[in-house]
Amino acid sequence: MDDLEKSIETINEVVALTSLNHPDRAERFSNLGCHLTDRFAHFGALNDLEQAIHAAEVAIAATPPGHPSRASRLGNLGNMLDIRFGRLGNILDLDKALQMREMADLENAIYACEEAAAVTPLDYPDYGTKWRIPVHCCTENSNCLKI
């Protein structure tokens, strides 16, 4: 447990020194949330879970749509909310947990389609028709909008 306590203390110090526009802000808050959730699992202190949820929300807010880590961060928040629902029974937590998981699934699907589009030659015969990549999977930042 000493290692967990020390890591949370260190991550808290790093997070406190992280500026709003720092490129590692989302990752640092995500790590903090996961460590706090671990501590909650061991000791059951609701404050740890509340802080973990807040850290996960900050991590998601700092992660742009389409980022490869966004889906896992949404899923982490969904898991934390599900745990809080189990502890407190607030149906709003369960609703939000399900919403986070649905958003994570959508992020994963978009990312997979964009990855497929990135490695598929533009002159591939079924590009955009059979896979419907431009219609269903493109975001404004994806390569497949350039066809």
Side-chain angles (χ1 to χ4, degrees):
M1 258 326 113
D2 289 340
D3 289 343
L4 180 59
E5 293 296 328
K6 187 174 239 175
S7 67
I8 290 172
E9 182 181 322
T10 301
I11 295 170
N12 265 319
E13 291 172 6
V14 170
V15 163
L17 297 172
T18 303
S19 65
L20 289 174
N21 59 353
H22 193 282
D24 295 331
R25 179 177 170 80
E27 182 178 352
R28 290 173 181 178
F29 272 91
S30 180
N31 288 338
L32 176 61
C34 291
H35 281 76
L36 288 166
T37 302
D38 286 346
R39 188 167 69 182
F40 169 79
H42 287 287
F43 298 110
L46 190 58
N47 187 49
D48 284 339
L49 185 57
E50 296 293 343
Q51 289 180 31
I53 289 170
H54 173 73
E57 290 171 338
V58 171
I60 291 168
T63 306
H67 188 281
S69 296
R70 187 169 171 84
S72 65
R73 290 177 183 152
L74 289 164
N76 287 343
L77 177 57
N79 291 338
M80 292 170 191
L81 291 164
D82 192 43
I83 293 167
R84 188 169 69 181
F85 168 74
R87 177 81 179 264
L88 301 178
N90 184 341
I91 195 71
L92 295 177
D93 284 336
L94 183 59
D95 288 343
K96 190 171 179 183
L98 292 171
Q99 180 185 17
M100 293 300 107
R101 289 187 182 116
E102 288 173 358
M103 290 171 61
D105 288 346
L106 180 60
E107 287 282 336
N108 278 329
I110 290 171
Y111 183 74
C113 286
E114 290 178 347
E115 288 293 304
V119 298
T120 303
L122 293 177
D123 61 350
Y124 183 77
D126 291 330
Y127 189 92
T129 56
K130 181 178 178 184
W131 294 358
R132 299 185 189 276
I133 292 169
V135 177
H136 295 292
C137 297
C138 291
T139 61
E140 61 188 55
N141 296 324
S142 66
N143 293 332
C144 56
L145 287 178
K146 296 176 184 171
I147 64 169

